[in-house]
Amino acid sequence: IHGKMSSPILFVIVGKNEPLFEAEIDTHSGAQGNDLSTRQNYFVLHSALDLVEKSAWTTTNMYLKVVDKVNHQQVSTFLTAGNIKFMLLHGGKGEEVIKSFFNDVYGYYVKVRCIPNLNVLVHLSSKELTNLVSHDNKAVNESIL
């Protein structure tokens, strides 16, 4: 793992067949991922979906850890009981921080799902979740750089 990362961290929540939430978090303040690296990041996450499905059958844990490695990037995944996938593309180690990040996002997800008559898609794209992901990813960034 290299000491510096040129691409941002990418976090997505994937439903049965569709993305429910996406957040790209820069690893360096003021850094911007170029369009090519952004598309490659999405490709890496998309290609890891089959590995997530395969890993889900080998464990009873919700946190699947690193399911794929491409170049210097890793895909860590958390799988809910309802088969909703939380996927994080990152460039280094920091397993405990990443697990904590997933648990925080899962806590918010459960809170949103427990409110009756709520449009989950609206709340998953809310500023509150974006702020939670951005805040927690700062800790992820510090641990893996």
Side-chain angles (χ1 to χ4, degrees), residues 36-71:
L36 179 60
S37 70
T38 299
R39 283 184 282 158
Q40 287 173 338
N41 289 345
Y42 279 99
F43 178 78
V44 169
L45 281 177
H46 186 268
S47 66
L49 284 170
D50 288 336
L51 296 172
V52 171
E53 295 295 330
K54 185 178 178 180
S55 296
W57 289 99
T58 63
T59 183
T60 58
N61 295 328
M62 295 174 82
Y63 177 51
L64 303 179
K65 301 181 182 179
V66 174
V67 295
D68 195 10
K69 295 178 183 181
V70 177
N71 297 326

Side-chain angles (χ1 to χ4, degrees), residues 28-123:
H28 304 294
S29 39
Q32 290 245 330
N34 65 37
D35 188 45
L36 179 60
S37 70
T38 299
R39 283 184 282 158
Q40 287 173 338
N41 289 345
Y42 279 99
F43 178 78
V44 169
L45 281 177
H46 186 268
S47 66
L49 284 170
D50 288 336
L51 296 172
V52 171
E53 295 295 330
K54 185 178 178 180
S55 296
W57 289 99
T58 63
T59 183
T60 58
N61 295 328
M62 295 174 82
Y63 177 51
L64 303 179
K65 301 181 182 179
V66 174
V67 295
D68 195 10
K69 295 178 183 181
V70 177
N71 297 326
H72 301 291
Q73 296 179 310
Q74 300 175 4
V75 178
S76 295
T77 303
F78 184 95
L79 186 64
T80 71
N83 201 33
I84 303 298
K85 299 155 202 73
F86 299 171
M87 301 177 73
L88 183 67
L89 178 68
H90 55 92
K93 297 184 179 181
E95 189 173 319
E96 286 303 314
V97 175
I98 291 170
K99 184 177 180 180
S100 175
F101 165 75
F102 280 138
N103 285 328
D104 289 348
V105 174
Y106 181 62
Y108 178 82
Y109 176 80
V110 169
K111 182 175 103 175
V112 168
R113 293 291 301 173
C114 287
I115 300 172
N117 301 320
L118 181 69
N119 184 340
V120 174
L121 290 178
V122 169
H123 284 280

